[in-house]
Every structure is written in C-alpha cells, then in structure tokens.
Amino acid sequence: TATLLADEDGFYDPVDFNDRLVLGLKGTMSEAESHILKARMRGGQLNKARRGELEMGPPVGLVYRNDGTIGLDPDAEVQKALQLVFDTFERTGSAMETVRYFLQQGLLFPRRLRIGPNKGDLLWAPPRHARVLQVLHNPRYAGAFVYGRTRTRHMPDGSTRAVKVARADWQFVMPGMHTGYIDWERFESNQRRLAENARAFAGERRAGPPRDRSGHDPPR
C-alpha cells in the first residue's frame, strides 16, 4: 500500500527487504523486553506471596485495616451473617442445610461489589448453595494466607479464564496470618466433612434411577 512506518529512529518501507528485516528485529527485541519485564514483575509478586505480604482483595467479611493488616469487617451485621454460616454448618454438617436454615429464617447474606460504578457497595440477598460452599472452602476465613488457588488459562478465542487448582497444588499456604471467623483446625474439619458429603452425594447419584437425554429424571 506504499505506507511508511516510523519510529524515533527513522522511517521504514515494509516493501523493502532491509527495512522489513530491521522492523522484524525491533519487534523481536521489543517482545523479549516485554517478556523480561513481566517475568520480573511475576518474580516480585511471588516473593511477596512467599512472605505472605501480597495484597489480594479479601472476601466479604474481611477488610484491610489502615495499617495494612486484615481484620473482620467492622459491620456487625456482616460479621453475624458470616459467623452464622460456620455455626450452622457445624451444627447441621451440610451446606445445603445451612442454606435451608437461612431461607427458612428469612435471613440474607452479604456480598460486596468488585467492579462497576458502585464498587465497594454491600448488597444483601438470600444465600445460594454455591455461595455458601465458596465461604466454607475459603481458607482466608480461617485466618490463612493462601496463594495459587486459581490459575489463568488462555482460551482459543483470546480470552482468559480462571481455573481452580487442586488444594495439593496451592503454591503457598500460611495459617495464622490474620484474624478469622474460625481457626485452622475447624477449617480442616469442615473440608473433610464437605469432601465426605460430596462423595456421598456422588454415590447417591450413581445409585439413582437413570435420566433421559434431556437430563431430567424419568417420571415415577
């Protein structure tokens, strides 16, 4: 198209072999420099995580204090809702029963907006099973610093997606780093109980009646 390209060093004609060679070399050098910078930033991030000093957005119910440490949300209603989840699960032994208790009592559960013009606002809504499981599985509520629970996967369309990592593959796990709603021993006990519930549920599904192709149970 007879279009020239320019940078701070001069002008280049992509049709000319010599100019195209220089442009290719500059592009490769720029890509290498970008890779080195990203690697250094990644190294700095890992060093902070190794010391438990990497700041990551805390889940609802936990906040960063002015001194940079993490503590319980000063909102008493938020604290009460979180504590009730753990207490109800300990009493019933089931995340589903915990949700059922909230719904039967007409209780709401908080969540904090992470993006958008109302970022930081607190919203209250009836809890869902997946939401309660997230709370019960989150080690930060037990006062632990954990890094590497998810990894970023690049998709064929160019987008990225966060993928959960098996607990055995978490990079850093440091209990007792800040105040939590439960202690680490109780967290570990909850994880064992949740795992047992999941195995029992899977066994019930395998032993249950076959489903039709639509995914629905056959009429009884």
Side-chain angles (χ1 to χ4, degrees):
T1 60
T3 301
L4 299 181
L5 303 178
D7 63 12
E8 62 273 13
D9 296 325
F11 294 88
Y12 307 91
D13 183 358
V15 177
D16 182 80
F17 170 78
N18 291 317
D19 286 4
R20 193 163 62 248
L21 179 63
V22 172
L23 287 171
L25 289 173
K26 285 193 170 189
T28 301
M29 292 173 64
S30 176
E31 183 179 0
E33 182 180 7
S34 176
H35 174 76
I36 292 173
L37 288 174
K38 288 181 179 179
R40 288 177 177 173
M41 293 175 64
R42 174 67 173 167
Q45 186 180 55
L46 288 176
N47 285 333
K48 282 191 172 183
R50 189 174 289 108
R51 299 190 301 268
E53 299 175 355
L54 182 65
E55 288 195 11
M56 298 182 291
V60 65
L62 296 173
V63 296
Y64 273 105
R65 301 191 182 106
N66 293 332
D67 60 1
T69 61
I70 293 181
L72 304 186
D73 194 306
D75 190 321
E77 291 300 318
V78 173
Q79 288 190 30
K80 183 178 178 181
L82 264 299
Q83 195 62 58
L84 186 58
V85 167
F86 292 107
D87 292 345
T88 305
F89 177 76
E90 185 172 8
R91 176 172 55 83
T92 63
S94 166
M96 186 65 72
E97 289 299 323
T98 301
V99 173
R100 184 173 289 113
Y101 177 79
F102 268 74
L103 297 180
Q104 289 175 347
Q105 300 298 318
L107 302 174
L108 303 178
F109 191 80
R111 71 181 181 94
R112 199 172 295 279
L113 296 179
R114 299 293 184 184
I115 58 175
N118 297 321
K119 179 180 178 180
D121 286 0
L122 200 64
L123 298 181
W124 293 82
R128 296 180 179 273
H129 184 240
R131 186 74 181 92
V132 170
L133 283 178
Q134 286 178 350
V135 172
L136 294 171
H137 280 302
N138 195 329
R140 304 192 74 180
Y141 288 116
F145 174 86
V146 177
Y147 182 82
R149 295 177 66 207
T150 61
R151 290 178 184 170
T152 301
R153 176 174 295 177
H154 295 274
M155 308 305 293
D157 60 359
S159 63
T160 58
R161 181 166 62 93
V163 180
K164 290 184 178 180
V165 176
R167 182 177 175 181
D169 297 326
W170 293 354
Q171 289 178 269
F172 305 111
V173 180
M174 305 176 190
M177 294 295 291
H178 58 80
T179 304
Y181 286 87
I182 57 176
D183 57 29
W184 186 251
E185 289 73 19
R186 189 173 170 188
F187 173 78
E188 294 278 30
S189 177
N190 288 347
Q191 301 316 295
R192 289 191 293 269
R193 180 171 291 183
L194 288 168
E196 292 171 358
N197 292 349
R199 287 192 294 269
F201 179 74
E204 291 175 1
R205 291 293 297 273
R206 286 194 296 269
R211 293 188 168 198
D212 60 27
R213 292 186 179 181
S214 66
H216 298 292
D217 291 327
R220 296 182 179 179

